[in-house]
Amino acid sequence: PDVSDDEKEQREQGAVGRQPVFLLPTVVTGLCGVLVAVHVAASFMDAAGLRQLTLWFGYVPLRIVAGFDNPADWWPLLWTPVTHALLHANWEHLIINVAWLAIFATPVARRYGVVPTLILSVVSAVAGAAAFTATSLYDGRFLVGASGAVAGLTGAAVRFIFQPLVV
């Protein structure tokens, strides 16, 4: 029987060995896994535990102003501009961020590697926190979610994703 070239290629690949379950770079799979693991762990907390988690790891710009009255309020500003990206408000928020992370972090990771992808994620999360500060310094609201990091990875991917592949 006649076999198409695509079918021949699929048979040859199957003969070579098993294909991975996830075709994402390891760093992207790891980032997605960490986001999901943190949210699953948080889903087992009671309301008081969730408040404490958000208080200690969510980003609150009002701490900048409150720190003038009580310098101890500034301490969480050392880690929360990054750790807020690990928390999500609900499952929908998490799923959307993980999907966009998988879509746009993949080309960045394949092009630049693990360390630059992680650095860009952290820098973009901090930039997201800075933008949130600029728009809501006195509101007393919390920032949670990886949207800032995902936006930075999206911007990096858009720079080259539509360019022709040079071999």
Side-chain angles (χ1 to χ4, degrees):
D2 290 333
V3 178
S4 71
D5 290 338
D6 289 338
E7 289 175 339
K8 285 180 187 176
E9 185 177 330
Q10 287 174 356
R11 286 181 186 173
E12 288 172 10
Q13 287 178 350
V16 171
R18 302 182 91 185
Q19 296 296 315
V21 175
F22 297 109
L23 296 177
L24 298 174
T26 306
V27 66
V28 177
T29 304
L31 285 171
C32 292
V34 167
L35 294 179
V36 170
V38 167
H39 196 72
V40 167
S43 69
F44 288 104
M45 293 181 172
D46 62 358
L50 281 173
R51 271 193 305 276
Q52 286 298 311
L53 182 70
T54 306
L55 180 67
W56 283 103
F57 297 102
Y59 179 71
V60 186
L62 189 59
R63 284 186 173 125
I64 296 168
V65 177
F68 291 112
D69 294 331
N70 182 8
D73 288 337
W74 280 333
W75 283 107
L77 292 171
L78 295 175
W79 59 84
T80 58
V82 175
T83 58
H84 78 273
L86 302 174
L87 305 176
H88 288 83
N90 52 42
W91 282 101
E92 293 83 7
H93 186 203
L94 173 71
I95 289 167
I96 290 168
N97 273 338
V98 167
W100 283 108
L101 178 69
I103 291 167
F104 289 107
T106 295
V108 173
R110 287 189 177 146
R111 185 167 188 144
Y112 299 116
V114 174
V115 173
T117 301
L118 292 174
I119 290 171
L120 180 60
S121 297
V122 168
V123 169
S124 298
V126 172
F132 186 71
T133 299
T135 59
S136 57
L137 179 61
Y138 293 99
D139 292 350
R141 292 184 290 165
F142 287 84
L143 174 63
V144 295
S147 299
V150 171
L153 291 163
T154 301
V158 167
R159 293 259 309 127
F160 63 82
I161 201 168
F162 298 112
Q163 294 176 351
L165 182 63
V166 178
V167 182

